[in-house]
């Protein structure tokens, strides 16, 4: 994806830290893989009436659970710390490139919109670079390991229990396009709201002098209403996605019990193996539920990357001393015209300004001087 290519050079300096985190994450999932197996041994021992096996399995279960908790903590810190460092690097690059922009860039991007990119958009990218990357790596490991154990225990039962998952992938693929569209609209709307607030605060003296308060409030209400509508559309889409994710896990467990119970009755599967099978199946439920959140996070980060890219497009200013600033030039204009968007402000203006001349610009309040 485009957002992953965007982040790749920022991940690179912290690859050792991230590799260490991935190692701890692998250990976390290996310990998680051992827990259902120990549960199987304990239940089969209880059915056989072997108290020693039950006690040993219980002790190992407790040790594995504690070790897993420690490994999980150790796996999170490298990912989350790297994300904060990447945020600092990105903010530094953004400011460096922003200072190199030409005046025309600032004519098309208001201060409030730029501030929104430095705050909200950067936070979205940081979330993906840290917790999002951690969740994606964790989900891949869980799926690979749990699926391997499911097919090792009961291949035919695994095929039946996993039937809901292909349907889930089709639904996610269908919704991902809408998520990106609405996420982009939300980010743009936040920039417009920030821009309206910045204009009202920085121009409050002009607004009071020109009695433009009602006009400013009406404009802000319109922008704020559009932002609200964009957020509601995104919220409705996310509200639809989450129940679909949470439905898949219980449906898979139901299929496993319905068909696995017959295998236990027919002695083709022990009770402990059925319980272990369902434990591995349950391990798939959590990353599946997080899939909806990760998908939303990916789309929001993608929209934010699209908004940050123009700021990073310019070459950074050269290091070293600055060139000497020339004196004020003489200015001559013939047929000068200027417009804000499609609205003309100046048309066919002619003037001569000698070097060093002081010029006053006058006009009615709120004219855009």
């Amino acid at each position: 994806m485009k957002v992953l290519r965007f982040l790749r050079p920022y991940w690179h300096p912290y690859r050792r830290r991230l590799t260490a985190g991935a190692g701890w994450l692998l250990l976390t999932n290996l310990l998680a893989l051992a827990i259902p197996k120990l549960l199987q041994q304990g239940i089969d021992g209880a059915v056989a009436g072997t108290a020693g096996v039950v006690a040993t399995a219980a002790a190992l279960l407790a040790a594995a659970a504690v070790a897993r908790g420690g490994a999980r903590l150790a796996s999170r810190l490298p990912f989350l710390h790297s994300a904060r460092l990447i945020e600092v690097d990105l903010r530094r690059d953004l400011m460096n490139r922003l200072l190199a922009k030409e005046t025309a860039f600032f004519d098309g991007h208001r201060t409030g919109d730029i501030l929104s990119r430095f705050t909200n958009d950067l936070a979205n990218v940081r979330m993906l670079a840290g917790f999002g990357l951690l969740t994606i790596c964790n989900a891949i490991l869980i799926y690979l390991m749990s699926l391997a154990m499911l097919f090792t225990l009961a291949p035919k039962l695994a095929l039946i229990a996993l039937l809901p998952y292909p349907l889930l992938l089709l639904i996610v693929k269908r919704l991902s396009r809408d998520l990106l569209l609405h996420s982009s609209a939300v980010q743009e709307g936040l920039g417009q709201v920030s821009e309206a607030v910045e204009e009202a605060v920085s121009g409050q003296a002009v607004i009071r002098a020109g009695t433009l308060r009602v006009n400013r409030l009406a404009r802000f209400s319109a922008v704020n209403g559009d932002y609200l509508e964009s957020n509601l559309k995104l919220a409705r889409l996310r509200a639809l996605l989450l129940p679909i994710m949470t439905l898949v896990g219980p449906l898979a467990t139901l299929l496993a019990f319905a068909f696995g119970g017959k295998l236990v009755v027919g002695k083709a599967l022990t009770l402990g193996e059925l319980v272990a099978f369902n434990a591995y199946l349950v391990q798939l439920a959590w990353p599946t539920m997080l899939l909806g959140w990760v998908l939303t996070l990916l789309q929001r980060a993608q929209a934010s990357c699209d908004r940050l890219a123009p700021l990073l497009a310019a070459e950074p200013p050269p290091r070293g001393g600055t060139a000497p600033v020339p004196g004020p030039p003489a200015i001559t204009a013939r047929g000068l015209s200027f417009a804000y968007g499609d609205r003309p402000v100046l048309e066919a203006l002619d003037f001569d300004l000698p070097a060093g001349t002081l010029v006053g610009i006058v006009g009615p309040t709120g004219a855009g001087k």
Side-chain angles (χ1 to χ4, degrees):
M1 293 182 66
K2 191 191 301 184
V3 63
L4 300 182
R5 292 196 299 270
F6 177 88
L7 282 170
R8 186 183 302 163
Y10 291 97
W11 273 321
H12 189 263
Y14 309 107
R15 58 190 182 280
R16 293 184 179 179
R17 187 191 298 262
L18 293 171
T19 301
W24 283 109
L25 195 60
L26 177 61
L27 178 60
T28 301
N29 286 287
L30 287 173
L31 290 169
L33 212 63
I35 291 175
K37 197 67 178 176
L38 293 171
L39 191 61
Q40 171 193 337
Q41 295 174 359
I43 291 175
D44 285 341
V47 172
T50 310
V53 173
V54 175
T56 302
L60 291 175
L61 264 173
V66 172
R68 183 191 179 195
R72 181 176 293 279
L73 176 63
S75 69
R76 285 171 174 258
L77 294 178
F79 284 94
L80 301 184
H81 286 180
S82 297
R84 288 295 181 180
L85 294 171
I86 288 171
E87 182 183 19
V88 172
D89 294 342
L90 257 173
R91 186 176 288 114
R92 185 187 300 114
D93 284 353
L94 286 169
M95 178 57 73
N96 199 22
R97 303 298 174 85
L98 188 66
L99 295 176
K101 293 293 185 184
E102 300 292 338
T103 305
F105 176 85
F106 296 96
D107 290 339
H109 297 80
R110 302 304 296 267
T111 304
D113 180 57
I114 294 175
L115 290 176
S116 173
R117 301 182 193 213
F118 265 79
T119 53
N120 192 66
D121 289 309
L122 199 56
N124 287 336
V125 174
R126 186 245 308 157
M127 282 291 293
L128 177 64
F131 197 74
L133 179 64
L134 170 65
T135 304
I136 292 171
C137 293
N138 189 48
I140 292 173
L141 288 173
I142 289 177
Y143 269 101
L144 291 177
M145 293 180 174
S146 297
L147 287 175
M149 294 305 298
L150 287 172
F151 281 98
T152 300
L153 281 171
K156 293 182 180 179
L157 183 59
L159 288 174
I160 294 172
L162 295 174
L163 282 176
Y165 285 87
L167 177 62
L168 170 67
L169 293 177
L170 292 175
I171 295 173
V172 167
K173 183 179 179 181
R174 172 65 183 84
L175 293 178
S176 61
R177 187 182 307 168
D178 293 336
L179 279 172
L180 177 59
L181 177 64
H182 293 306
S183 296
S184 299
V186 167
Q187 299 303 98
E188 293 293 336
L190 180 60
Q192 292 173 4
V193 169
S194 302
E195 175 186 332
V197 173
E198 183 270 333
E199 285 181 346
V201 173
S202 61
Q204 53 88 23
V206 175
I207 292 173
R208 291 181 181 180
T211 63
L212 300 174
R213 178 172 175 272
V214 175
N215 177 272
R216 291 283 99 185
L217 282 175
R219 181 177 180 275
F220 180 77
S221 296
V223 172
N224 207 25
D226 292 340
Y227 178 56
L228 173 63
E229 186 59 32
S230 298
N231 268 293
L232 289 177
K233 289 179 180 178
L234 181 60
R236 284 193 289 267
L237 193 59
R238 294 177 65 181
L240 174 64
L241 189 60
L242 184 59
I244 295 174
M245 298 295 178
T246 56
L247 182 62
V248 171
L251 184 57
T253 302
L254 177 63
L255 291 172
F257 272 118
F259 291 92
K262 295 179 181 179
L263 295 176
V264 173
V265 172
K267 306 299 182 182
L269 205 65
T270 68
L271 180 60
E273 288 174 336
L274 178 61
V275 172
F277 184 93
N278 278 281
Y280 287 122
L281 201 58
V282 167
Q283 287 186 359
L284 295 178
W286 178 243
T288 302
M289 285 190 292
L290 281 181
L291 181 62
W293 177 82
V294 171
L295 181 62
T296 302
L297 182 60
L298 273 170
Q299 302 299 355
R300 291 177 73 94
Q302 178 64 67
S304 294
C305 285
D306 291 339
R307 283 167 51 79
L308 292 175
L311 295 183
L312 294 169
E315 290 295 328
R319 295 187 177 184
T322 58
V325 179
I331 300 175
T332 299
R334 296 291 182 267
L336 176 64
S337 298
F338 181 77
Y340 289 106
D342 296 329
R343 185 182 65 181
V345 178
L346 300 175
E347 293 183 285
L349 180 63
D350 299 332
F351 63 86
D352 295 290
L353 297 178
T357 302
L358 296 178
V359 180
I361 301 176
V362 297
T365 301
K369 296 185 292 297

